[in-house]
Amino acid sequence: MSDRLAVLPQYLMPKLLLTRMAGRLASAELGGFTTWTIRRFIDRYGVNMSEAAESDPAAYPSFNEFFTRALKPGARPLAQAPLICPVDGAISQFGPVQAEQIVQAKGHSYTVTALVGGDQPLAARFRDGHFATIYLSPRDYHRIHMPCDGRLVRMIHVPGDLFSVNPTTARGVPGLFARNERVVCLFEGPHGPWIMVLVGATIVGSMATVWHGVVNPPRPGRIRTWHYDDERFSYAQGDEMGRFLLGSTVVMLFPKEQAVTFNPEWAPGGAVRLGESMGPPVAALLPPRGAAQRPGGASSAGVAG
């Protein structure tokens, strides 16, 4: 069966209704039923609970608490590199932005302008830059961390569809990552601007950031923008910056001026882990700074559940 035929049912299913229902169930505290569900999920997807800060499934009052579980201190050491991988997952695509085109999968691309919600001046800053897209499977750790230091400048919630974001759907749905609901986070880093995009998907109940809490819901059906020019939300490499409440995909964008050279061991489909080197920008080959906050630890800004 072709990828296009495989994803055809997703065009027909009530994705928003399913997502709302899944979000309510995932946040509900249902005692023994919640524990049973978590145990079934662990067995089904082979989740490694030995690296979780709390390894007992019965200790999680809701499925969301389990899904966004913290890691044990030291479970993800940070590479001494200017850019580190921000999540556990699998590489979807990475490489140069061709003018404004980002590769989604073989035969599919989308524009930076579409990805960031139609903001052409913002998109122009990343023309001919570099990108990396990483898919988080159900078994993965679902907190998102900073690939480098950054000061938050803007956050944009872009409404959209809620297709699945697995590899089959990426090959079968044109413009998937610029079509699905997403949260675009713009930072100013030590070597210029960079963007982290949290892409929603079917049954992703919500996405959250440490400075805002849950971004969606609400889903008002229009683009919402928050500016942080007068606020000092600065985060160090390795700090937690957000979470998926039921997983998805992240897309990172870097401008041409950073001349990013990716890790030569990276390849589409390859597994990656939080904290490993992404490959340094040529302009950023500086002495390493001190250790960043441990992954999974509490953030001073907090996250609304």
Side-chain angles (χ1 to χ4, degrees):
M1 181 184 294
S2 72
D3 294 323
R4 287 185 180 272
L5 285 176
V7 301
L8 182 60
Q10 293 193 46
Y11 285 91
L12 305 175
M13 69 174 59
K15 295 183 286 296
L16 180 56
L17 176 61
L18 290 172
T19 298
R20 286 172 173 165
M21 292 173 61
R24 291 192 184 100
L25 286 172
S27 62
E29 298 182 7
L30 302 175
F33 179 76
T34 294
T35 300
W36 177 84
T37 301
I38 292 171
R39 292 187 188 278
R40 288 293 301 272
F41 187 92
I42 290 169
D43 291 342
R44 170 68 175 81
Y45 291 105
V47 178
N48 182 6
M49 293 301 289
S50 67
E51 62 186 16
E54 176 52 74
S55 61
D56 181 5
Y60 296 97
S62 71
F63 188 84
N64 272 341
E65 290 292 326
F66 155 73
F67 201 79
T68 59
R69 62 195 176 276
L71 296 176
K72 289 178 180 177
R76 295 291 185 276
L78 306 185
Q80 294 291 337
L83 284 177
I84 62 169
C85 185
V87 292
D88 286 359
I91 300 165
S92 178
Q93 295 289 331
F94 68 99
V97 177
Q98 301 289 351
E100 221 202 305
Q101 296 291 321
I102 300 173
V103 175
Q104 175 177 299
K106 185 177 181 180
H108 291 306
S109 63
Y110 57 94
T111 67
V112 178
T113 298
L115 181 68
V116 300
D119 188 327
Q120 292 183 343
L122 175 59
R125 301 176 72 181
F126 297 89
R127 184 179 178 86
D128 294 316
H130 287 80
F131 79 98
T133 305
I134 302 175
Y135 165 67
L136 287 73
S137 73
R139 66 176 294 173
D140 289 320
Y141 168 69
H142 278 85
R143 299 191 186 189
I144 307 154
H145 294 256
M146 298 285 285
C148 62
D149 295 352
R151 179 180 65 82
L152 180 65
V153 176
R154 195 187 321 170
M155 181 174 74
I156 308 166
H157 174 228
V158 185
D161 288 321
L162 290 167
F163 286 96
S164 169
V165 291
N166 61 43
T168 298
T169 313
R171 293 190 299 268
V173 177
L176 175 65
F177 302 126
R179 183 172 187 162
N180 270 13
E181 179 180 32
R182 54 207 177 276
V183 175
V184 180
C185 304
L186 172 64
F187 294 90
E188 284 290 342
H191 307 288
W194 59 275
I195 283 176
M196 178 86 79
V197 182
L198 284 56
V199 183
T202 310
I203 76 168
V204 176
S206 60
M207 293 173 278
T209 63
V210 297
W211 57 85
H212 182 90
V214 172
V215 179
N216 62 309
R219 291 182 168 97
R222 57 179 174 79
I223 292 176
R224 295 181 292 159
T225 302
W226 294 263
H227 294 272
Y228 300 97
D229 299 321
D230 298 328
E231 301 181 55
R232 297 298 175 187
F233 290 129
S234 294
Y235 303 95
Q237 184 185 62
D239 283 355
E240 181 185 339
M241 62 78 65
R243 304 178 187 183
F244 287 116
L245 281 74
L246 301 179
S248 192
T249 289
V250 297
V251 181
M252 289 167 282
L253 292 175
F254 302 95
K256 180 180 179 180
E257 294 73 21
Q258 288 199 32
V260 172
T261 302
F262 287 103
N263 189 329
E265 297 181 359
W266 274 28
V272 290
R273 283 163 68 90
L274 165 66
E276 72 176 49
S277 173
M278 283 180 58
V282 173
L285 297 179
L286 303 175
R289 24 167 225 90
Q293 178 178 316
R294 290 192 298 267
S299 168
S300 59
V303 175

